[in-house]
Amino acid sequence: MARKKKSAEEGASWMDTYGDMVTLLLCFFVLLYSMSTVDAMKWELVVKSFNPNAEKVSQIVIEQDQNEDGMEVPGGTDVPLEEIEDFEDLYYLLMEAVEQNGLEGDVELHQGEGYTFINFRDNIFFDGNSAVLKEEGRQILSAFVGALNDVSSTIGEVQVLGHTSQALPDVPNDPVSDRVLSSERAARVAAYIQMNGKIDAVKITSIGYGQHRPVAGFATAEERAKNRRVEILVTKDDAVVQSLEEYYSEIYEASE
């Protein structure tokens, strides 16, 4: 018996279904693409972190401009600059401040789960045995306070930690002057943040540890210089609070 031939309509039905599926997939990927944006600032900072000596970043980074409403054009975020409130953006804002002020050798940044940590060499802010903020230090601190202000609504606490170091390898500092100096330096920085920032004063704390939280030895001048520092620990409002030792283990031990 001769096999009955399928009609043209019956043979084409599976192609119609397949075509509809491909069309829907295309629409789906177009939707995903339309929702995505490239944050040029973050991309540029990431690229520069891998190749700090490069004069130019890949052309994939589109120059950012702003329209008359302060909105960034495509290639950046779609949020007005004055409304940046994501805590995770703080790290990138601080990196930009470091780069603009040429502080790569004097400031260290670390981003962890729910916190951002800043380590300043103390000679940025203070002269030796002094707790008076230098004018240069005020200008640098203003740039960092500006970054904190951009995400102030998401900040849970700002801790300013002051540290000294032994002047001589085998001679501990006088306990009174050692602790007073480190505490006063931390308090000066905390007060500046309070007076020039948008962060609630109750969220700002300061403490001086003297020479008792070293991150290097005391044997050489280079080691002692590393210990003389001011640190700022910024935690997110809903972050799980850790002890200072736990933060240090993530920050300093991981960088060794």
Side-chain angles (χ1 to χ4, degrees):
M1 179 182 292
R3 181 178 297 177
K4 182 179 179 182
K5 295 183 178 180
K6 294 183 179 180
S7 65
E9 290 77 7
E10 291 176 341
S13 60
W14 70 272
M15 295 184 64
D16 294 337
T17 303
Y18 177 76
D20 291 340
M21 181 185 70
V22 171
T23 302
L24 290 173
L25 284 174
L26 177 62
C27 292
F28 176 70
F29 286 117
V30 169
L31 177 63
L32 289 180
Y33 179 79
S34 66
M35 293 171 62
S36 66
T37 59
V38 177
D39 191 319
M41 181 185 73
K42 292 182 181 179
W43 174 255
E44 183 173 352
L45 289 171
V46 169
V47 172
K48 286 184 177 180
S49 69
F50 285 104
N51 191 7
N53 297 322
E55 295 182 359
K56 293 184 178 180
V57 182
S58 170
Q59 292 182 352
I60 195 170
V61 178
I62 303 173
E63 291 292 336
Q64 292 185 8
D65 293 315
Q66 297 176 23
N67 62 22
E68 59 185 8
D69 297 323
M71 300 284 288
E72 293 181 358
V73 299
T77 59
D78 292 329
V79 181
L81 295 180
E82 66 272 13
E83 294 183 11
I84 295 177
E85 296 182 347
D86 188 351
F87 183 85
E88 305 307 321
D89 286 334
L90 176 60
Y91 179 74
Y92 299 99
L93 294 171
L94 293 174
M95 284 183 65
E96 187 176 40
V98 169
E99 181 179 297
Q100 290 178 349
N101 290 276
L103 298 172
E104 289 84 351
D106 296 312
V107 177
E108 297 176 2
L109 297 174
H110 181 88
Q111 184 180 43
E113 184 66 33
Y115 73 89
T116 296
F117 187 87
I118 317 166
N119 179 356
F120 297 93
R121 299 287 186 263
D122 75 330
N123 59 358
I124 292 179
F125 297 144
F126 307 102
D127 290 323
N129 294 319
S130 172
V132 178
L133 268 173
K134 298 190 295 186
E135 181 58 34
E136 176 189 0
R138 291 173 180 270
Q139 295 175 5
I140 293 171
L141 195 52
S142 293
F144 283 83
V145 171
L148 295 177
N149 288 342
D150 285 337
V151 297
S152 59
S153 63
T154 66
I155 291 176
E157 186 176 17
V158 176
Q159 299 181 47
V160 183
L161 316 174
H163 303 270
T164 61
S165 186
Q166 290 182 191
L168 298 172
D170 301 320
V171 182
N173 295 335
D174 173 72
V176 175
S177 60
D178 184 53
R179 290 190 177 274
V180 168
L181 179 61
S182 63
S183 297
E184 188 172 354
R185 285 177 170 178
R188 295 275 188 179
V189 172
Y192 191 91
I193 294 173
Q194 177 180 335
M195 291 186 296
N196 296 276
K198 300 178 181 179
I199 304 168
D200 191 339
V202 74
K203 297 181 178 181
I204 304 172
T205 61
S206 65
I207 186 170
Y209 287 103
Q211 67 173 73
H212 302 293
R213 293 292 191 281
V215 293
F218 299 113
T220 67
E222 290 75 15
E223 289 178 325
R224 295 193 293 273
K226 290 181 180 180
N227 293 328
R228 300 185 185 100
R229 66 199 191 277
V230 173
E231 300 166 331
I232 300 179
L233 173 62
V234 187
T235 52
K236 195 175 180 181
D237 54 0
D238 59 352
V240 177
V241 178
Q242 303 182 73
S243 67
L244 184 60
E245 285 69 23
E246 289 175 311
Y247 286 119
Y248 274 14
S249 66
E250 294 182 13
I251 296 162
Y252 290 113
E253 294 179 11
S255 62
E256 293 179 352

